[in-house]
Amino acid sequence: MRRIFERSVLLSGVVLILNSVSADANTISPNFVSFTAGTSITYNADLASGQMHAGDGFTIYDIWEYGGIDSIVSAYGWTVTAQAVGTPLATPGTLTTDYVSATNVTFQYDGVLGSIETAGQLDLGLFTLLTGSTVEGVDEWLSNDHLYTEGGSTGDGAEAPIQQAFITVPGNVPDGGSTAVLLGSVLCAFGMLRRRFGNG
């Protein structure tokens, strides 16, 4: 039980550190809200000091056991694209992973309210994805939007640089046999080290 608790604390610490690598201003930033194992994961998104045009949005990479979106909870005015690899947004920089077995989910603003601009921070609502995964993992997100233009008119901002950071996602449950072999190897190594240093 203690080892499970320690592993959970470690994972939480990793997620906290990775999420602390925040994106710059002039960006759409998704944030983890909640995860219900085997059911759904919910995010919200903010627009910080920028403009949002039709087609701007964000991609969350590698959603395992993706089951679609919760149309009741997901924010109004967005279209959703799901694909195994890549994103319909601008080409990102180097990604840590992009698993073909998981799903990249992209939300793009459909422009129904016209171009949106804020000099501060604007809450864009909740985005809920359905998933059969029972574990949390960590992967990347990417976003694009347009720059805020002080004194200008809404909709005339230049395209902002692509932003990337890390976020909690529904994870992959490893094969039970492989996990048992790996765990056995780790325990064996710990046992050898314990005997070696315990008798020293």
Side-chain angles (χ1 to χ4, degrees):
M1 180 64 73
R2 182 179 177 183
R3 280 198 296 268
I4 294 173
F5 173 75
E6 289 172 348
R7 196 168 74 183
S8 299
V9 170
L10 178 61
L11 176 60
S12 299
V14 169
V15 172
L16 181 61
I17 291 169
L18 294 177
N19 284 341
S20 69
V21 183
S22 58
D24 297 333
N26 300 300
T27 188
I28 299 170
S29 300
N31 308 285
F32 170 73
V33 175
S34 64
F35 174 66
T36 302
T39 303
S40 65
I41 190 165
T42 297
Y43 303 95
N44 78 336
D46 299 311
L47 174 65
S49 185
Q51 293 181 359
M52 190 168 66
H53 300 181
D56 289 349
F58 61 95
T59 296
I60 300 178
Y61 284 82
D62 295 333
I63 303 293
W64 291 90
E65 299 189 42
Y66 174 65
I69 65 165
D70 186 329
S71 59
I72 297 175
V73 179
S74 295
Y76 169 73
W78 297 79
T79 59
V80 183
T81 304
Q83 56 195 70
V85 176
T87 171
L89 302 177
T91 304
T94 302
L95 291 170
T96 304
T97 61
D98 192 357
Y99 294 108
V100 70
S101 300
T103 303
N104 302 339
V105 181
T106 301
F107 291 90
Q108 288 179 279
Y109 174 58
D110 65 11
V112 66
L113 301 176
S115 295
I116 295 173
E117 181 174 53
T118 179
Q121 184 164 302
L122 178 66
D123 185 356
L124 300 177
L126 295 175
F127 303 81
T128 296
L129 307 178
L130 305 178
T131 176
S133 173
T134 58
V135 297
E136 294 180 15
V138 176
D139 216 287
E140 287 159 286
W141 62 264
L142 169 153
S143 74
N144 74 331
D145 57 15
H146 288 71
L147 298 174
Y148 173 74
T149 55
E150 188 171 359
S153 61
T154 300
D156 64 353
E159 188 170 341
I162 294 294
Q163 300 293 329
Q164 290 175 241
F166 291 86
I167 199 165
T168 300
V169 297
N172 182 31
V173 180
D175 173 72
S178 300
T179 304
V181 170
L182 177 61
L183 181 59
S185 300
V186 171
L187 292 175
C188 181
F190 274 126
M192 292 173 65
L193 287 172
R194 185 176 181 181
R195 284 195 300 272
R196 178 176 177 184
F197 291 104
N199 296 332

